[in-house]
Amino acid sequence: MPAQRLSVVVTRRLPEPVETRMKELFDVDLNASDEKMGRDALVDAMRRADVLVPCVTDQIDQSMLAGAGDRLKLIANYGAGIDHIDVQTARQRGILVANTPGVVTEDTADMTIALMLAVTRRIPEGLATMQSGEWRGWSPTAFMGGRIGGRRLGILGMGRIGQAVARRARVFGVQIHYHNRRRLRAEIEEELEATYWDSLDQMVSRMDVLSINCPHTPSTFHLMNARRLRLMKPDAVIVNTSRGEVIDENALTRMLRAGELGGAGLDVFEHGHEINPRLRELRNVVLLPHMGSATVEGRVEMGEKVIINIKTFADGHRPPDLVLPSMI
């Protein structure tokens, strides 16, 4: 399939260098308004494109793929997560799915540490005081937070991002613990000075900070449910830069409001942009609008991976970041 004839539909605005390069290589339909496509618009895009470039805000389910027709051959996702795409149905219909793994690792790990510090050192409270003009000078007991050095950090999901978080946290003198589907190799554990817990229940009950760094899959949905959240220490902090669905957000909100948890730093939410309004009222909660990968460098690199996946496919080869059933 010649690249110059390949029809590509992009569902959202991408960084200018990425869009320009796509224009040079493909017959591309860009989303100039950056408005999220509705369900019907997505199905229409799939019917008229050889390649669809969606992102995390685009839910692509079985019925939508069934209505896509026969033209669509590749979904080149702009992002590493693929839980918003029914990959099994896509493959059954002969549609390949590719993603952009590895690009967001360092940026997301940076944001995880930033949230840990923001919650434990009460940074948003201090910022709000300064912006309101209410600060009346230094006081020995004002805005006292907690030191993170010496604390136990439990990392749920020790993949690329989890390991990057561990490397950063060690610099602060944090003790590293983790739970993962598979135990890391001994040399990696030694490098990270990480303690492995086969039991997630036992780990979370002992941690001062819990960082969620696992993907959203059927097996991780509400992995941090009400029962497991209640196992955490009452002064513990939970940070999530992965997927909102991993935590039961209503249960978390109830516990935070009741003072049964020390705080939370959340960059992702169970229902997308529809956040439990009671979370916004809590002073010990830091909320961010899914900024984990939001660096210029990271977003351009994501686009470059998308282009490589499409160009490789156009040249008759398997995309280098093809999503396989074993990855789901």
Side-chain angles (χ1 to χ4, degrees):
M1 189 178 293
Q4 65 269 22
R5 298 179 57 189
L6 203 62
S7 174
V8 178
V9 174
V10 181
T11 66
R12 300 295 294 268
R13 284 295 305 273
L14 302 183
E16 183 276 326
V18 177
E19 292 188 340
T20 300
R21 186 57 177 152
M22 283 186 169
K23 275 288 191 181
E24 293 169 352
L25 292 172
F26 315 118
D27 178 11
V28 62
D29 183 354
L30 301 172
N31 185 345
S33 69
D34 197 34
E35 291 184 12
K36 179 183 174 181
M37 285 187 174
R39 187 180 182 88
D40 292 342
L42 275 171
V43 172
D44 178 68
M46 289 189 283
R47 285 175 181 157
R48 56 190 170 86
D50 302 307
V51 179
L52 182 73
V53 180
C55 59
V56 68
T57 57
D58 301 309
Q59 294 293 323
I60 301 174
D61 60 28
Q62 183 179 29
S63 63
M64 294 171 69
L65 288 164
D70 299 324
R71 182 168 182 177
L72 185 67
K73 296 301 179 187
L74 172 65
I75 297 175
N77 189 56
Y78 182 79
I82 41 87
D83 51 293
H84 56 292
I85 302 170
D86 188 335
V87 177
Q88 290 292 138
T89 298
R91 290 187 66 87
Q92 290 169 5
R93 297 186 62 82
I95 303 168
L96 302 180
V97 178
N99 65 344
T100 60
V103 173
V104 303
T105 298
E106 303 303 324
D107 298 327
T108 306
D110 287 346
M111 188 61 78
T112 301
I113 298 298
L115 281 170
M116 285 174 53
L117 289 168
V119 177
T120 57
R121 294 301 304 272
R122 301 173 63 179
I123 291 173
E125 292 179 62
L127 178 62
T129 298
M130 297 302 289
Q131 290 179 329
S132 67
E134 296 176 357
W135 189 51
R136 296 295 178 262
W138 182 84
S139 165
T141 58
F143 301 108
M144 289 194 297
R147 181 184 297 163
I148 68 169
R151 294 197 185 194
R152 294 191 181 100
L153 168 64
I155 299 175
L156 175 50
M158 201 62 144
R160 293 187 186 96
I161 296 174
Q163 291 177 42
V165 170
R167 290 188 181 95
R168 285 158 172 76
R170 282 183 58 218
V171 177
F172 289 89
V174 173
Q175 300 174 35
I176 307 300
H177 298 253
Y178 78 98
H179 173 81
N180 203 44
R181 284 189 304 170
R182 300 181 184 86
R183 186 168 183 171
L184 298 177
R185 299 195 308 272
E187 59 268 27
I188 299 178
E189 279 191 356
E190 184 177 355
E191 174 203 345
L192 300 176
E193 299 179 10
T195 300
Y196 172 70
W197 292 84
D198 180 63
S199 167
L200 178 58
D201 285 1
Q202 291 185 23
M203 185 183 81
V204 300
S205 68
R206 292 165 169 83
M207 296 300 108
D208 302 303
V209 181
L210 180 66
S211 177
I212 309 298
N213 298 108
C214 62
H216 170 223
T217 67
S219 62
T220 64
F221 176 76
H222 281 191
L223 190 59
M224 291 304 299
N225 54 25
R227 180 192 68 79
R228 199 163 270 138
L229 287 167
R230 284 194 293 271
L231 295 176
M232 296 180 67
K233 298 194 295 185
D235 59 349
V237 168
I238 188 166
V239 173
N240 190 4
T241 55
S242 178
R243 284 291 184 264
E245 295 90 342
V246 177
I247 302 176
D248 182 337
E249 192 170 294
N250 285 332
L252 175 65
T253 303
R254 287 195 300 270
M255 290 186 64
L256 287 165
R257 287 174 60 84
E260 296 169 347
L261 279 175
L266 307 174
D267 187 44
V268 289
F269 306 92
E270 184 175 351
H271 304 291
H273 69 281
E274 297 177 2
I275 304 166
N276 189 322
R278 294 187 172 185
L279 278 175
R280 296 192 180 95
E281 303 168 1
L282 299 171
R283 299 178 68 181
N284 59 340
V285 175
V286 180
L287 307 177
L288 294 178
H290 205 157
M291 293 169 58
S293 65
T295 66
V296 173
E297 298 85 352
R299 293 288 168 84
V300 170
E301 287 175 13
M302 285 169 64
E304 290 171 347
K305 269 188 172 283
V306 169
I307 291 170
I308 290 170
N309 281 324
I310 299 173
K311 186 67 168 65
T312 305
F313 168 75
D315 292 340
H317 305 292
R318 192 177 91 164
D321 297 308
L322 185 67
V323 177
L324 302 173
S326 58
M327 300 176 181
I328 304 172

